């Protein structure tokens, strides 16, 4: 994606409207708009699961209540666009991101104190189970590292070097958070392996410290909300751009919301994670093709980069075809 920010954008400036490369770029935008709409359903499904976790809701009504919550949130976000722009939605995203980052810092600090105080139990992590059947499951979790492609479509507001630099920094920060969180949870990985459902992390954090479970609940709700808002903005914006502005803000958001709602009511949380992963894998496969294509046309990156683009594209195609829900 960082390669494409520089080289694909520069190459695209001189393309004719019906150049095959231009069509490939538009196909990538359409696929990303669809992937964003699907991911909105994914994020809000998780938000609803975490929001109703503290309440005693019977299994029969659980899914229905969660889907109603998601439907209400999507309806509110769509109604906010009736003012004619997306500023109101963006303000909601900024607030939830700030809260989320503070809660994540608190969770990591709490786990670190847990370790340093000697309260963490001495236990052996569960044995690794490496099988071919686990590969589709891993590919179905691609969505967990999605989000950095947003910088590719912010050229109207930020220059290329800033977007490349901030994307790289965001990837390093998020990688550090992921690894630190997993490392600090090592003593309870055995218990984590036995947890059920997408909200099992709440049970684990309650075992560590009840207060941390509240932090996790807050972080989960705000992070899913901010991600859903960002992707709804992205989906609507791409639909407007691909339609060459035949769609306005309201109609684009209604179309994206309709797709999100269909996914919400037709899938369960595990299925929607895999579906979102496959949608983004398809988008990344197109981006790998564009990177390879422009590298061949211009010579940028050289042979090593081209081999890398082909490898990434092949993995993404496999993920699109074979990504499986975690419950399988």
């Amino acid at each position: 994606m960082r390669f494409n920010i520089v080289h694909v954008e520069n190459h695209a400036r001189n393309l004719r409207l019906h150049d095959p490369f231009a069509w490939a770029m538009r196909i990538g935008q359409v696929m990303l708009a669809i992937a964003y709409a699907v991911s909105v359903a994914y994020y809000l499904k998780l938000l609803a699961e975490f929001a109703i976790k503290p309440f005693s809701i019977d299994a029969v009504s659980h899914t229905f209540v969660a889907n109603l919550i998601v439907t209400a949130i999507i309806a509110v976000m769509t109604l906010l666009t009736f003012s004619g722009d997306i500023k109101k939605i963006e303000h909601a995203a900024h607030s939830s991101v700030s809260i989320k980052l503070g809660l994540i810092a608190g969770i990591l600090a709490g786990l670190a104190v847990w370790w340093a105080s000697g309260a963490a139990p001495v236990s052996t992590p569960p044995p690794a189970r490496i099988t071919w059947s686990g590969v589709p499951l891993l590919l179905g979790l691609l969505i967990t590292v999605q989000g950095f492609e947003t910088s590719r479509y912010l050229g109207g507001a930020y220059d290329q070097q800033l977007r490349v630099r901030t994307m790289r920094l965001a990837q390093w920060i998020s990688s550090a958070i992921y690894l630190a969180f997993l490392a600090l949870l090592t003593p309870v990985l055995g218990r984590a392996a036995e947890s059920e459902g997408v909200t099992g992390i709440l049970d684990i954090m309650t075992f560590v410290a009840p207060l941390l479970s509240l932090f996790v609940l807050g972080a989960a709700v705000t992070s899913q909300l901010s991600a859903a808002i960002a992707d709804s903005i992205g989906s609507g914006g791409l639909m407007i751009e691909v339609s060459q502005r035949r769609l306005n803000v309201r109609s684009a958001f209604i179309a994206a919301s309709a797709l999100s709602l269909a996914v919400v009511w037709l899938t369960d949380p595990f299925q929607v994670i895999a579906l979102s992963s496959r949608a983004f894998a398809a988008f990344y496969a197109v981006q790998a093709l564009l990177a390879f294509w422009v590298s061949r046309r211009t010579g940028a990156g050289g042979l090593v980069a081209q081999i890398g683009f082909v490898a990434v594209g092949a993995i993404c195609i496999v993920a699109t075809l074979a990504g499986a829900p975690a419950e399988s």
Side-chain angles (χ1 to χ4, degrees), residues 22 28 31 35 47 51 58 60 95 127 130 160 164 182-183 186 191 212 220 240 243 246 278 309 322:
M31 295 177 74
L47 183 155
D58 62 271
V60 176
S95 300
I130 303 175
Q160 291 177 344
V164 169
L182 288 173
T186 301
R191 183 182 291 264
L212 281 183
I240 293 171
S243 68
R246 293 186 181 89
R278 294 169 78 168
F309 297 145

Side-chain angles (χ1 to χ4, degrees), residues 74-304:
I74 291 176
V76 170
M77 290 195 300
T78 304
L79 287 173
L80 287 176
T81 66
F82 275 46
S83 62
D85 58 37
I86 60 175
K87 294 299 182 183
K88 293 180 180 178
I89 297 181
E90 288 178 341
H91 291 326
H94 294 161
S95 300
S96 59
V97 167
S98 300
I99 296 172
K100 171 184 66 178
L101 292 176
L103 290 171
I104 289 174
I107 292 168
L108 293 177
L111 287 172
V113 170
W114 182 57
W115 266 79
S117 65
V122 178
S123 61
T124 303
R129 291 181 296 174
I130 303 175
T131 63
W132 284 110
S133 61
V135 174
L137 188 152
L138 180 63
L139 294 174
L141 293 173
L142 179 69
I143 186 68
T144 58
V145 293
Q146 168 270 334
F148 305 106
E149 75 292 326
T150 307
S151 298
R152 168 70 178 81
Y153 298 98
L154 296 176
Y158 306 101
D159 63 73
Q160 291 177 344
Q161 295 308 313
L162 178 62
R163 285 181 286 143
V164 169
R165 187 168 66 254
T166 52
M167 184 194 290
R168 184 182 289 110
L169 180 61
Q171 289 173 317
W172 279 113
I173 292 173
S174 60
S175 297
I177 291 173
Y178 268 113
L179 295 175
F181 188 68
L182 288 173
L184 291 170
L185 281 181
T186 301
V188 289
L189 284 180
R191 183 182 291 264
E194 299 172 359
S195 63
E196 296 182 358
V198 295
T199 59
I201 186 62
L202 278 180
D203 299 326
I204 303 304
M205 300 307 288
T206 300
F207 169 75
V208 175
L211 181 60
L212 281 183
S213 67
L214 296 178
F215 273 62
V216 171
L217 179 61
V221 171
T222 54
S223 64
Q224 305 311 322
L225 180 60
S226 63
I229 291 172
D231 281 6
S232 66
I233 292 172
S235 181
L238 283 168
M239 287 185 178
I240 293 171
E241 187 173 336
V242 170
S243 68
Q244 297 182 348
R245 307 217 168 256
R246 293 186 181 89
L247 292 176
N248 58 24
V249 171
R250 185 182 306 174
S251 56
F253 268 79
I254 290 174
S257 297
L259 177 56
S260 298
L261 287 173
V263 174
V264 166
W265 286 95
L266 295 176
T267 64
D268 62 39
F270 286 107
Q271 290 173 330
V272 76
I273 291 172
L275 182 61
S276 299
S277 296
R278 294 169 78 168
F280 274 100
F283 163 73
Y284 287 134
V286 173
Q287 292 303 305
L289 169 64
L290 291 173
F292 176 79
W293 196 340
V294 78
S295 180
R296 293 281 294 177
R297 279 192 177 187
T298 66
L303 180 62
V304 174

